[in-house]
Amino acid sequence: MISSDILPVFCQLTLVLTFSYAAFKKQQSIEEFIATIEVSFNTSSDIARLLSYFLVLLEVFMAFAMILAHHLLTTWIVMIALLVIFFSLSIFSVVSEKSIQCNCFGETSQMGWPHVFRNLILLLAAVYCFIVTPLVLPSLQTLMALVMSTILLGLLVSVKDLTEFLRWQ
Protein backbone atom coordinates (compact mmCIF):
# COMPACT_ATOMS: atom_id res chain seq x y z
CA MET A 1 0.00 0.00 0.00
CA ILE A 2 1.26 3.47 -0.91
CA SER A 3 1.83 5.78 2.00
CA SER A 4 -0.14 9.03 2.24
CA ASP A 5 3.20 10.83 2.14
CA ILE A 6 3.66 10.13 -1.58
CA LEU A 7 2.05 13.43 -2.69
CA PRO A 8 4.59 15.70 -0.96
CA VAL A 9 7.47 13.64 -2.37
CA PHE A 10 5.85 13.73 -5.82
CA CYS A 11 5.52 17.53 -5.62
CA GLN A 12 9.08 17.91 -4.37
CA LEU A 13 10.53 15.73 -7.13
CA THR A 14 8.47 17.59 -9.72
CA LEU A 15 10.00 20.86 -8.51
CA VAL A 16 13.51 19.35 -8.53
CA LEU A 17 13.13 18.03 -12.08
CA THR A 18 11.51 21.21 -13.35
CA PHE A 19 14.19 23.51 -11.94
CA SER A 20 17.00 21.19 -13.06
CA TYR A 21 15.64 20.92 -16.58
CA ALA A 22 14.93 24.67 -16.84
CA ALA A 23 18.47 25.54 -15.72
CA PHE A 24 20.00 22.99 -18.10
CA LYS A 25 18.04 24.30 -21.09
CA LYS A 26 18.75 27.95 -20.26
CA GLN A 27 22.44 27.18 -19.93
CA GLN A 28 22.42 25.48 -23.34
CA SER A 29 21.01 28.61 -24.97
CA ILE A 30 22.40 31.24 -22.61
CA GLU A 31 22.94 33.90 -25.28
CA GLU A 32 19.31 33.60 -26.37
CA PHE A 33 18.22 33.77 -22.73
CA ILE A 34 20.30 36.91 -22.20
CA ALA A 35 18.71 38.50 -25.27
CA THR A 36 15.24 37.54 -24.03
CA ILE A 37 15.79 39.31 -20.71
CA GLU A 38 17.34 42.31 -22.43
CA VAL A 39 14.41 42.77 -24.83
CA SER A 40 11.55 41.80 -22.49
CA PHE A 41 12.63 44.06 -19.64
CA ASN A 42 14.43 46.75 -21.63
CA THR A 43 17.71 46.39 -19.73
CA SER A 44 21.32 46.78 -20.74
CA SER A 45 23.14 43.71 -22.00
CA ASP A 46 25.38 43.70 -18.91
CA ILE A 47 22.44 43.62 -16.52
CA ALA A 48 20.66 41.02 -18.68
CA ARG A 49 23.79 38.85 -18.65
CA LEU A 50 24.13 39.15 -14.86
CA LEU A 51 20.44 38.33 -14.32
CA SER A 52 20.62 35.38 -16.73
CA TYR A 53 23.57 33.74 -15.02
CA PHE A 54 22.12 34.49 -11.59
CA LEU A 55 18.79 32.88 -12.50
CA VAL A 56 20.44 29.75 -13.95
CA LEU A 57 22.61 29.38 -10.84
CA LEU A 58 19.63 30.00 -8.57
CA GLU A 59 17.60 27.31 -10.34
CA VAL A 60 20.47 24.82 -9.99
CA PHE A 61 20.91 25.76 -6.35
CA MET A 62 17.18 25.35 -5.68
CA ALA A 63 17.12 21.92 -7.31
CA PHE A 64 19.98 20.76 -5.07
CA ALA A 65 18.48 22.43 -2.01
CA MET A 66 15.20 20.64 -2.60
CA ILE A 67 17.06 17.33 -2.51
CA LEU A 68 19.57 18.04 0.25
CA ALA A 69 17.87 20.59 2.49
CA HIS A 70 14.16 20.32 1.77
CA HIS A 71 13.36 20.71 5.45
CA LEU A 72 15.00 24.12 5.78
CA LEU A 73 12.71 27.13 6.00
CA THR A 74 15.05 29.19 3.80
CA THR A 75 14.80 26.67 0.96
CA TRP A 76 11.03 26.91 0.91
CA ILE A 77 10.96 30.69 1.23
CA VAL A 78 13.33 31.14 -1.73
CA MET A 79 11.49 28.51 -3.81
CA ILE A 80 8.07 30.05 -3.16
CA ALA A 81 9.38 33.59 -3.73
CA LEU A 82 10.90 32.56 -7.07
CA LEU A 83 7.69 30.87 -8.16
CA VAL A 84 5.62 33.89 -7.05
CA ILE A 85 7.83 36.07 -9.28
CA PHE A 86 7.40 33.69 -12.25
CA PHE A 87 3.65 33.47 -11.67
CA SER A 88 3.31 37.25 -11.27
CA LEU A 89 5.25 37.92 -14.47
CA SER A 90 3.07 35.54 -16.44
CA ILE A 91 -0.14 37.07 -15.01
CA PHE A 92 1.16 40.59 -15.68
CA SER A 93 2.01 39.65 -19.27
CA VAL A 94 -1.44 38.22 -19.94
CA VAL A 95 -3.47 40.91 -18.15
CA SER A 96 -1.51 43.89 -19.50
CA GLU A 97 -1.08 42.28 -22.93
CA LYS A 98 2.57 43.30 -22.70
CA SER A 99 4.82 41.15 -24.82
CA ILE A 100 7.11 39.49 -22.29
CA GLN A 101 9.15 36.65 -23.72
CA CYS A 102 9.60 33.46 -21.76
CA ASN A 103 12.72 31.39 -22.15
CA CYS A 104 11.44 28.95 -19.56
CA PHE A 105 12.78 25.71 -20.98
CA GLY A 106 15.27 26.92 -23.59
CA GLU A 107 12.71 28.04 -26.17
CA THR A 108 11.60 31.62 -26.52
CA SER A 109 7.86 32.16 -26.58
CA GLN A 110 5.49 34.93 -25.57
CA MET A 111 3.99 34.42 -22.12
CA GLY A 112 0.36 33.40 -22.14
CA TRP A 113 -2.23 31.40 -20.27
CA PRO A 114 -0.26 28.12 -20.49
CA HIS A 115 2.59 29.84 -18.61
CA VAL A 116 0.14 31.13 -15.99
CA PHE A 117 -1.29 27.64 -15.51
CA ARG A 118 2.14 25.95 -15.35
CA ASN A 119 3.51 28.50 -12.87
CA LEU A 120 0.38 28.19 -10.73
CA ILE A 121 0.74 24.40 -10.55
CA LEU A 122 4.41 24.70 -9.56
CA LEU A 123 3.61 27.40 -6.98
CA LEU A 124 0.83 25.30 -5.46
CA ALA A 125 3.17 22.30 -5.33
CA ALA A 126 5.79 24.36 -3.47
CA VAL A 127 3.25 25.77 -1.01
CA TYR A 128 1.87 22.29 -0.40
CA CYS A 129 5.37 20.94 0.27
CA PHE A 130 6.05 23.85 2.61
CA ILE A 131 2.92 23.03 4.61
CA VAL A 132 3.37 19.25 4.59
CA THR A 133 6.99 18.29 5.18
CA PRO A 134 7.75 15.21 3.09
CA LEU A 135 9.00 12.14 4.89
CA VAL A 136 11.60 9.72 3.57
CA LEU A 137 9.78 6.92 1.80
CA PRO A 138 10.85 3.40 0.92
CA SER A 139 12.65 3.24 -2.41
CA LEU A 140 9.71 1.75 -4.35
CA GLN A 141 7.45 4.65 -3.41
CA THR A 142 10.19 7.18 -4.12
CA LEU A 143 10.71 5.59 -7.53
CA MET A 144 6.98 5.80 -8.23
CA ALA A 145 6.96 9.48 -7.26
CA LEU A 146 9.97 10.10 -9.51
CA VAL A 147 8.24 8.41 -12.47
CA MET A 148 5.06 10.45 -11.90
CA SER A 149 7.11 13.64 -11.59
CA THR A 150 8.88 12.85 -14.86
CA ILE A 151 5.53 12.33 -16.57
CA LEU A 152 4.28 15.66 -15.25
CA LEU A 153 7.48 17.35 -16.40
CA GLY A 154 6.91 15.85 -19.85
CA LEU A 155 3.47 17.44 -19.89
CA LEU A 156 4.83 20.81 -18.79
CA VAL A 157 7.40 20.95 -21.59
CA SER A 158 7.39 19.63 -25.11
CA VAL A 159 8.24 16.00 -25.74
CA LYS A 160 10.97 17.10 -28.15
CA ASP A 161 12.75 19.08 -25.44
CA LEU A 162 12.46 16.21 -22.99
CA THR A 163 14.04 13.72 -25.39
CA GLU A 164 16.87 16.18 -26.13
CA PHE A 165 17.43 16.63 -22.39
CA LEU A 166 17.61 12.89 -21.78
CA ARG A 167 20.17 12.52 -24.58
CA TRP A 168 22.16 15.54 -23.27
CA GLN A 169 22.17 17.16 -26.72
Side-chain angles (χ1 to χ4, degrees):
M1 183 173 185
I2 296 177
S3 169
S4 63
D5 296 322
I6 191 93
L7 185 58
V9 173
F10 169 75
C11 291
Q12 182 179 342
L13 289 173
T14 299
L15 291 166
V16 168
L17 289 172
T18 301
F19 274 76
S20 299
Y21 182 73
F24 178 78
K25 291 303 285 185
K26 284 180 184 122
Q27 183 275 330
Q28 277 190 322
S29 59
I30 193 71
E31 292 303 321
E32 185 177 338
F33 183 49
I34 292 167
T36 299
I37 290 179
E38 190 174 347
V39 170
S40 294
F41 301 103
N42 197 22
T43 65
S44 70
S45 60
D46 290 336
I47 291 175
R49 182 173 300 280
L50 178 67
L51 286 173
S52 299
Y53 285 114
F54 174 75
L55 189 56
V56 169
L57 289 173
L58 183 59
E59 287 178 336
V60 169
F61 172 78
M62 290 313 303
F64 279 114
M66 293 294 294
I67 293 169
L68 303 174
H70 62 85
H71 62 283
L72 293 178
L73 181 62
T74 306
T75 301
W76 291 111
I77 290 172
V78 172
M79 173 68 73
I80 291 170
L82 195 56
L83 289 168
V84 164
I85 291 168
F86 293 160
F87 179 69
S88 299
L89 278 173
S90 58
I91 287 283
F92 174 75
S93 177
V94 169
V95 170
S96 70
E97 296 180 359
K98 181 173 170 51
S99 178
I100 297 178
Q101 298 299 312
C102 176
N103 197 293
C104 304
F105 294 101
E107 287 186 17
T108 303
S109 62
Q110 183 170 341
M111 283 193 184
W113 285 110
H115 297 90
V116 172
F117 182 66
R118 178 181 60 217
N119 290 330
L120 178 62
I121 288 173
L122 294 172
L123 178 59
L124 290 175
V127 169
Y128 177 76
C129 285
F130 175 71
I131 294 169
V132 181
T133 303
L135 302 173
V136 177
L137 300 176
S139 61
L140 176 61
Q141 291 175 337
T142 303
L143 181 61
M144 288 173 57
L146 180 61
V147 168
M148 291 186 298
S149 298
T150 305
I151 291 169
L152 181 60
L153 178 63
L155 295 174
L156 293 174
V157 298
S158 73
V159 174
K160 176 186 168 208
D161 282 346
L162 188 58
T163 57
E164 287 177 9
F165 173 69
L166 294 175
R167 291 184 193 151
W168 294 88
Q169 293 180 354

